[in-house]
Amino acid sequence: MAEAEEAAFATEHARLVRLLHNQGKEDVGDLRKTSTTTARTTTSNSSSSSSSSSIPRYIRLRRPRPVASKEEEEEEEQATRKAIVAAGGHVVVWCPAEDREGFYALPTAFRLAQWPLYQQGRVYGMDVASGVAVWALGPRPGEDVLDLCCCPGLKLCMLAERMKHKGTVTGVDISRTRLHVCRQVLLKYHIGRHTSHSLAPSSSSSSSSSSSSSSSSFSSASSTFSSSCSTSSSPPSPLTSSLWCRLLCADGCTFQHGPQQAWTGLEEDVIFDSRAYDWTGMEARGQKRMNRGTRRKELLALRALLQLFTPQEREGEKKGELYDRVLVDADCTHDGSTRHMEKVAGMDEAIKSRHGGFLSREKLGGLEALQRGLISNGFRLLRPGGVLVYSTCSLSPRQNEAIVTYLLKAEAGKAVLDPITEFGEPLFSSIGEGEEGEGGREGGKGVGPGRLPCRWGSLSGTLVFEPRFGETSGLFIARIRKEEEEVRIN
């Protein structure tokens, strides 16, 4: 076993060293082999040279806009699209028909952070390859969805949109720092703003004296919750008509809370709960940042929530423990990201190889075990008949196909690979398992509806986006279904 682990570490180490060595000598995106030139064939929009200077900067429209009438939403969306086109943007033509105008490509050098549309929360930056992972997951309104490695939060935003802001979205990550960044993303784009009832004190109660005792504040929060539940024997479910979103700090390999189960962990591990946030009060007071008083009110509302909330029934069926859809965008070496590889290539050798560094034994040796733990736990939390999508921004078969194969063997008879074929055919030819090469263009045609800038993975129906194709960052995507449990008739 030790010999096998040593061999695996040596293989990955050599692969990454080769990539870093080639960085700057050849096209940056030539991430699998540098001796060929076929990757320089052009696409309809850009060269297949995958350096960060050729891949477009992608944005996604926020749609629909929370708390807006249909007329307001259509008017704002039309104005946003005109502004994007004026900035040099164009629709990503190979996106699925139902979301054809969701993503736009902007010039690579475009400064998104200084753009008013971005600052106003009308668009957000997200690579379109990541969007394919969300499309493959196929979240629907009213479902329970788990994002097991949720930071920085852009996939959470797209999940909520695809669900039409109805259902539950639970984001989990082990890093408290990253989760607080994710929280700000959710607040900026009003994810969870559609909640039908909130435990946060209303704007009228928020105007009370800040000198009120903590007990009276807690009582106010509790009474707010109680009054919202007075019309039924149990608290009204936010799941049938709104989105309940929460961020939880936990290890994705051992996380075990269901979508409608009350959190039993530490209070401080609930980084965000859309039912406790005072959306209305913050808007009424014109606040963009929380002060000490508003943070305290949110904390008191959260405490009331954790004490009083019980698992709900939806359409007469208790389903509090398992999720309909699970997204596992696992931690990896990130070698599919040209910007990341450029950054690492500029580091000193000592920094790359030090404890926990990019090339260290601690980093590479533990990744595959982490990935196996994440995909296994994600599958365990998936209901029978549910869908799991596993993705990484690495191009390593050991971190991609090998991890999926591990789950298929470990859960034989339950886990079934579900080919991702509904979006069209990859534009580039496949690479055989264990074989390195460029993968030629099929037919020489450009990207477009039904023709994706990617290739098949070595597992049937898996997709691999690579920077050298010149359209997106690197991403591996696999979809797995959990078989329905058989009903035995005596």
Side-chain angles (χ1 to χ4, degrees):
M1 186 66 178
E3 293 181 357
E5 292 178 356
E6 183 65 27
F9 167 74
T11 299
E12 280 297 276
H13 187 276
R15 184 183 70 88
L16 293 172
V17 168
R18 185 176 68 251
L19 295 181
L20 292 173
H21 177 73
N22 291 332
Q23 200 82 15
K25 289 188 174 183
E26 301 279 342
D27 287 334
V28 174
D30 189 358
L31 297 177
R32 299 297 291 272
K33 189 176 182 181
T34 62
S35 61
T36 65
T37 58
T38 55
R40 296 186 177 90
T41 306
T42 58
T43 67
S44 60
N45 294 326
S46 64
S47 167
S48 66
S49 167
S50 62
S51 68
S52 58
S53 62
S54 66
I55 296 177
R57 180 175 291 275
Y58 291 103
I59 58 170
R60 179 169 175 80
L61 270 67
R62 181 183 70 175
R63 48 199 304 221
R65 183 166 69 91
V67 198
S69 66
K70 186 175 181 180
E71 293 75 15
E72 290 176 327
E73 182 183 322
E74 291 177 350
E75 182 178 347
E76 180 181 292
E77 186 170 311
Q78 185 177 8
T80 301
R81 294 187 189 281
K82 289 182 178 179
I84 294 173
V85 173
H90 58 82
V91 171
V92 181
V93 295
W94 53 269
C95 290
E98 69 273 15
D99 204 9
R100 183 63 46 78
E101 297 184 345
F103 278 95
Y104 280 79
L106 288 167
T108 304
F110 191 85
R111 295 187 177 183
L112 189 61
Q114 285 75 41
W115 200 23
L117 292 185
Y118 174 78
Q119 295 172 342
Q120 296 164 9
R122 292 160 68 178
V123 300
Y124 53 91
M126 180 178 180
D127 195 287
V128 69
S130 297
V132 176
V134 176
W135 289 322
L137 187 66
R140 300 172 182 172
E143 289 187 327
D144 300 317
V145 179
L146 171 65
D147 188 348
L148 204 53
C149 308
C150 68
C151 295
L154 299 174
K155 291 189 186 72
L156 280 175
C157 293
M158 186 173 173
L159 286 170
E161 291 176 3
R162 300 296 292 171
M163 296 167 66
K164 300 187 183 302
H165 297 274
K166 297 179 181 180
T168 74
V169 175
T170 302
V172 175
D173 201 279
I174 198 170
S175 169
R176 195 178 303 274
T177 300
R178 290 198 302 264
L179 280 169
H180 278 287
V181 174
C182 184
R183 170 191 165 97
Q184 294 306 311
V185 171
L186 299 186
L187 291 177
K188 177 179 180 180
Y189 295 103
H190 292 242
I191 304 303
R193 179 66 177 82
H194 290 253
T195 306
S196 58
H197 72 280
S198 171
L199 294 194
S202 64
S203 58
S204 59
S205 64
S206 66
S207 61
S208 61
S209 173
S210 59
S211 62
S212 298
S213 66
S214 60
S215 60
S216 63
S217 298
F218 180 81
S219 175
S220 174
S222 300
S223 63
T224 301
F225 181 83
S226 300
S227 63
S228 69
C229 305
S230 60
T231 58
S232 63
S233 59
S234 61
S237 172
L239 310 180
T240 56
S241 61
S242 64
L243 181 75
W244 172 24
C245 180
R246 57 180 174 173
L247 297 177
L248 305 174
C249 186
D251 185 345
C253 296
T254 57
F255 177 77
Q256 56 183 346
H257 282 79
Q260 298 179 47
Q261 291 180 326
W263 177 248
T264 57
L266 297 176
E267 176 185 287
E268 55 265 30
D269 287 339
V270 183
I271 307 302
F272 175 68
D273 191 313
S274 61
R275 301 165 302 166
Y277 187 76
D278 186 13
W279 299 97
T280 304
M282 289 288 287
E283 291 177 358
R285 294 186 296 273
Q287 289 181 250
K288 292 185 177 181
R289 294 183 179 273
M290 300 183 74
N291 56 30
R292 183 179 298 179
T294 53
R295 288 183 185 279
R296 178 166 180 76
K297 287 170 184 175
E298 181 182 14
L299 176 61
L300 294 172
L302 179 61
R303 287 176 178 172
L305 178 71
L306 295 178
Q307 290 190 24
L308 298 176
F309 182 79
T310 57
Q312 299 300 303
E313 291 185 15
R314 178 166 58 185
E315 297 178 358
E317 178 185 5
K318 284 185 179 293
K319 45 178 298 185
E321 297 181 354
L322 301 176
Y323 295 84
D324 299 297
R325 318 263 170 176
V326 176
L327 177 62
V328 181
D329 188 24
D331 189 18
C332 63
T333 51
H334 305 285
D335 54 89
S337 168
T338 57
R339 288 186 175 87
H340 180 76
M341 293 299 285
E342 288 171 351
K343 179 180 178 181
V344 174
M347 295 179 179
D348 292 336
E349 291 300 323
I351 295 177
K352 298 175 191 175
S353 301
R354 70 184 181 185
H355 184 86
F358 183 74
L359 295 175
S360 69
R361 185 177 299 276
E362 295 78 21
K363 178 70 174 179
L364 299 181
L367 269 180
E368 292 177 32
L370 172 64
Q371 291 158 350
R372 288 194 293 268
L374 289 170
I375 196 172
S376 296
N377 194 43
F379 189 78
R380 185 186 66 80
L381 292 167
L382 187 66
R383 68 165 177 81
V387 175
L388 179 147
V389 164
Y390 175 82
S391 64
T392 78
C393 58
S394 171
L395 302 179
S396 167
R398 295 193 63 87
Q399 298 179 54
N400 297 331
E401 288 93 338
I403 300 300
V404 174
T405 299
Y406 164 82
L407 178 68
L408 297 177
K409 291 181 178 178
E411 299 289 347
K414 294 182 180 179
V416 178
L417 191 63
D418 185 12
I420 306 171
T421 59
E422 65 269 30
F423 307 130
E425 290 290 321
L427 184 62
F428 296 85
S429 61
S430 303
I431 295 177
E433 185 173 4
E435 176 187 356
E436 292 191 341
E438 284 302 324
R441 183 181 299 277
E442 295 179 348
K445 298 180 181 179
V447 294
R451 294 188 65 81
L452 311 180
C454 63
R455 63 174 175 84
W456 294 122
S458 61
L459 288 177
S460 176
T462 59
L463 299 178
V464 182
F465 291 84
E466 298 192 38
R468 63 187 174 82
F469 299 150
E471 292 286 337
T472 71
S473 295
L475 196 72
F476 168 84
I477 308 172
R479 183 169 62 194
I480 300 164
R481 290 188 182 273
K482 179 180 278 191
E483 289 284 73
E484 296 275 6
E485 296 177 345
E486 294 184 3
V487 179
R488 297 183 179 180
I489 301 177
N490 296 326

